[in-house]
């Protein structure tokens, strides 16, 4: 299979051997104007300026006049697999209840866990599949998916098996994260440390044996899991070669960033609440901060200080956090728009954060995240738009004409 794309207004995010970008380097977005690109066997074969195109343009080709090609979005943080919805909690919040109050009265993550435990694996798969197909149409071409709504051995394994089935059936890179330490189940209400032991000694070995996960995660937060719990989870993950990506500093700064640096984990996600010293801790590590602005929008909580993170010469990735409670949307087009509007990032910075840096945050930087020879031909062909900045500018909308995964139009 071979297809030539010609007259591309601009081929965006063209890179050679670049993995992660930090600080000022995030301002640069290398492009080739008036370009061609050849896709062969699902991969990017070659590209260049139209004037140098060595191929016969009468062969199987797509004319991309007035349209841009950029790598698909990489969504490095989602909870795509869940059962039903939490629309009633949404309404309760509109009427004045806080996310915390709802969680404390049995709603929140425990509400989703109860639903998921009662849902068959097949039904769960069908619900997740529909969401995955929707986000692919919105330009997502690599995705991380977490467990964490099972909170019991069988239900956690069920979620992970569904994720593995999606991974086997869809043509985009999928990474799977084990997040049994997402909330304390009621049956362990008076024995948090016992639950962590159960996760580490009874569930994790099974997850590892069946090769069901790539990463490990924990919700490090007041009222959920503290620093000692988080440390136990991260270190248990290390024993099974599962790098950690953690939920941290969403509502309170309780010391999770310092721990993440000491443990040298892969990513710290959320960071809506940051202490001054935590920027400096991050400068000592190669951890990637991941901001989730549509979660801030939906919960009306502060936005991650993305501008300040980049200005501290740190890298930044953007992700959706798609989940039923805090972010029932996996629309990365909205994520990049919000990062411009609310975090004061430039269009170039948000595209870097949602492609190349996001790929690093889920360890798929060798496969996707840029237009590079040999990477997967996962890319977005835009509508006719005047500039690349038009994508975040037209917030609430998207500018995608077609999405290609492994060179095939979806
Ligand atoms: O990333 N913060 C923890 N977990 C999810 C929300 C989970 C839920 O409310 O169901 C998040 O926002
Ligand atoms: Fe999350």
């Amino acid at each position: 299979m071979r297809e030539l794309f010609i007259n591309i207004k601009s081929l965006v995010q063209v890179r050679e051997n670049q993995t992660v970008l930090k600080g000022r380097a995030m301002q640069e977005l290398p492009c080739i104007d008036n370009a061609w690109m050849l896709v062969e066997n699902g991969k990017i074969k070659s590209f260049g300026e139209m004037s140098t195109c060595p191929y016969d343009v009468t062969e199987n080709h797509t004319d991309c006049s007035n349209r841009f090609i950029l790598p698909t979005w990489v969504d490095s943080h989602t909870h795509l697999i869940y059962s039903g919805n939490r629309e009633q909690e949404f309404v309760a919040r509109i009427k004045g209840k806080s996310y915390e109050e709802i969680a404390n009265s049995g709603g929140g993550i425990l509400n989703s866990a109860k639903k998921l435990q009662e849902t068959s694996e097949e039904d769960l798969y069908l619900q997740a599949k529909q969401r995955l197909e929707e986000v692919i149409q919105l330009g997502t071409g690599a995705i991380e998916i977490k467990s964490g709504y099972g909170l019991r051995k069988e239900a956690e394994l069920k979620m992970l098996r569904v994720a593995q089935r999606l991974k086997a059936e869809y043509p985009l890179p999928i990474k799977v994260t084990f997040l049994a330490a997402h909330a304390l189940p009621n049956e362990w209400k008076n024995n948090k440390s016992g639950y962590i032991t159960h996760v580490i000694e009874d569930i994790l070995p099974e997850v590892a044996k069946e090769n069901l996960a790539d990463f490990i995660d924990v919700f490090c937060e007041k009222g959920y899991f503290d620093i000692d719990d988080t440390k136990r989870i991260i270190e248990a993950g290390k024993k099974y070669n599962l790098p950690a990506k953690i939920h941290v500093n969403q509502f309170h700064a309780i010391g999770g960033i310092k721990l993440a640096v000491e443990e040298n984990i892969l990513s710290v996600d959320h960071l809506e609440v940051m202490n001054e010293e935590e920027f400096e801790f991050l400068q000592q590590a190669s951890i990637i901060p991941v901001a989730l602005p549509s979660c801030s929008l939906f919960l009306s909580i502060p936005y991650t200080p993305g501008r300040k993170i980049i200005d501290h010469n740190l890298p930044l990735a953007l992700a959706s956090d798609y989940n039923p409670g805090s972010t029932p949307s996996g629309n990365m087009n909205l994520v990049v728009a919000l990062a411009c509007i609310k975090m004061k990032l430039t269009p170039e910075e948000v595209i870097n954060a949602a492609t190349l840096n996001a790929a690093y945050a889920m360890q798929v930087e060798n496969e996707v995240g840029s237009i590079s020879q040999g990477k997967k031909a996962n890319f977005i062909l835009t509508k006719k738009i005047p500039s690349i900045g038009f994508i975040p500018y037209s917030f609430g909308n998207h500018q995608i004409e077609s999405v290609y995964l492994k060179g095939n139009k979806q």
Side-chain angles (χ1 to χ4, degrees):
M1 212 290 291
R2 189 176 147 101
E3 187 167 352
L4 184 64
F5 295 81
I6 60 166
N7 298 325
I8 307 161
K9 181 166 178 166
S10 191
L11 188 58
V12 178
Q13 186 66 304
V14 177
R15 304 268 181 184
E16 257 179 66
N17 307 324
Q18 181 79 51
T19 57
V20 69
L21 301 164
K22 56 181 189 173
R24 295 175 74 90
M26 287 187 68
Q27 289 172 13
E28 284 154 36
L29 186 65
C31 299
I32 302 176
D33 292 342
N34 196 19
W36 60 273
M37 177 171 78
L38 182 71
V39 168
E40 199 174 82
N41 299 329
K43 294 199 167 155
I44 299 168
K45 172 86 175 159
S46 48
F47 46 79
E49 285 173 20
M50 271 317 283
S51 58
T52 69
C53 185
Y55 300 101
D56 174 5
V57 293
T58 57
E59 82 172 294
N60 184 19
H61 76 265
T62 300
D63 186 277
C64 306
S65 296
N66 299 311
R67 291 165 297 165
F68 293 76
I69 284 182
L70 69 152
T72 43
W73 306 125
V74 174
D75 193 349
S76 72
H77 180 139
T78 85
H79 310 249
L80 183 90
I81 299 171
Y82 58 85
S83 185
N85 62 69
R86 302 227 299 270
E87 200 187 313
Q88 283 170 347
E89 294 181 10
F90 169 60
V91 176
R93 281 194 300 101
I94 293 169
K95 293 183 177 163
K97 285 239 167 16
S98 71
Y99 181 82
E100 195 177 4
E101 283 165 344
I102 292 166
N104 290 341
S105 58
I109 296 167
L110 296 186
N111 181 355
S112 288
K114 185 167 183 298
K115 286 196 179 91
L116 189 136
Q117 287 161 5
E118 292 162 356
T119 304
S120 73
E121 188 164 327
E122 185 63 18
D123 186 9
L124 193 58
Y125 164 76
L126 293 172
Q127 293 186 47
K129 171 186 164 75
Q130 190 181 346
R131 290 181 203 115
L132 181 60
E133 287 173 9
E134 277 168 13
V135 299
I136 289 172
Q137 291 305 322
L138 290 167
T140 295
I143 192 167
E144 180 258 16
I145 303 174
K146 300 175 193 296
S147 71
Y149 290 122
L151 307 184
R152 282 182 189 165
K153 185 171 181 178
E154 249 330 295
E156 280 294 306
L157 295 176
K158 176 167 72 180
M159 288 189 80
L160 294 171
R161 284 194 299 263
V162 168
Q164 293 298 334
R165 188 167 163 196
L166 295 171
K167 186 174 186 166
E169 291 179 358
Y170 284 84
L172 75 171
I174 294 181
K175 291 279 182 169
V176 183
T177 302
F178 177 53
L179 172 60
H182 196 193
L184 188 63
N186 277 333
E187 54 270 38
W188 294 91
K189 202 162 62 190
N190 300 314
N191 185 6
K192 183 158 60 73
S193 127
Y195 179 62
I196 299 281
T197 304
H198 171 58
V199 169
I200 293 174
E201 293 181 6
D202 302 329
I203 314 182
L204 182 56
E206 188 79 16
V207 171
K209 195 172 114 212
E210 291 185 42
N211 224 340
L212 291 174
D214 304 291
F215 304 119
I216 197 160
D217 192 350
V218 44
F219 189 13
C220 177
E221 179 60 55
K222 219 182 206 172
Y224 292 81
F225 296 100
D226 63 22
I227 296 301
D228 286 342
D229 305 325
T230 303
K231 189 171 167 147
R232 288 181 67 197
I233 292 285
I234 294 173
E235 292 185 350
K238 278 186 186 164
K239 287 201 186 119
Y240 293 96
N241 282 322
L242 301 179
K245 298 166 64 60
I246 69 170
H247 284 74
V248 66
N249 287 41
Q250 182 177 8
F251 301 106
H252 304 91
I254 60 167
I257 305 263
K258 185 163 178 277
L259 174 72
V261 169
E262 284 161 5
E263 295 285 340
N264 192 25
I265 71 167
L266 176 60
S267 76
V268 281
D269 301 29
H270 274 291
L271 317 183
E272 287 87 342
V273 179
M274 289 279 283
N275 287 337
E276 247 355 275
E277 58 178 12
E278 292 178 312
F279 293 92
E280 279 145 43
F281 291 146
L282 286 172
Q283 285 171 338
Q284 297 155 27
S286 58
I287 299 175
I288 183 147
V290 180
L292 311 163
S294 38
C295 173
S296 298
L297 175 71
F298 193 70
L299 291 187
S300 300
I301 61 172
Y303 284 81
T304 303
R307 177 76 273 144
K308 208 168 160 185
I309 289 174
I310 296 174
D311 291 346
H312 274 76
N313 196 32
L314 293 167
L316 183 73
L318 289 164
S320 75
D321 199 19
Y322 196 177
N323 76 74
S326 73
T327 327
S329 162
N331 186 348
M332 286 295 288
N333 305 282
L334 177 64
V335 168
V336 294
L338 286 172
C340 288
I341 301 162
K342 297 303 228 179
M343 297 178 185
K344 307 290 178 215
L345 267 60
T346 64
E348 290 78 10
E349 287 172 325
V350 296
I351 291 172
N352 281 322
T355 58
L356 197 65
N357 279 5
Y360 178 84
M362 57 179 281
Q363 293 186 338
V364 289
E365 68 272 26
N366 295 327
E367 294 178 77
V368 292
S370 62
I371 302 293
S372 308
Q373 269 179 22
K375 279 198 179 178
K376 286 198 166 58
N378 290 14
F379 59 90
I380 292 169
L381 174 62
T382 69
K383 296 176 185 168
K384 293 183 178 175
I385 53 173
S387 65
I388 201 72
F390 200 78
I391 295 174
Y393 166 80
S394 61
F395 85 103
N397 210 333
H398 72 73
Q399 299 303 331
I400 298 171
E401 184 173 290
S402 357
V403 178
Y404 289 79
L405 297 181
K406 288 184 165 175
N408 295 314
K409 200 194 270 198
Q410 299 303 297

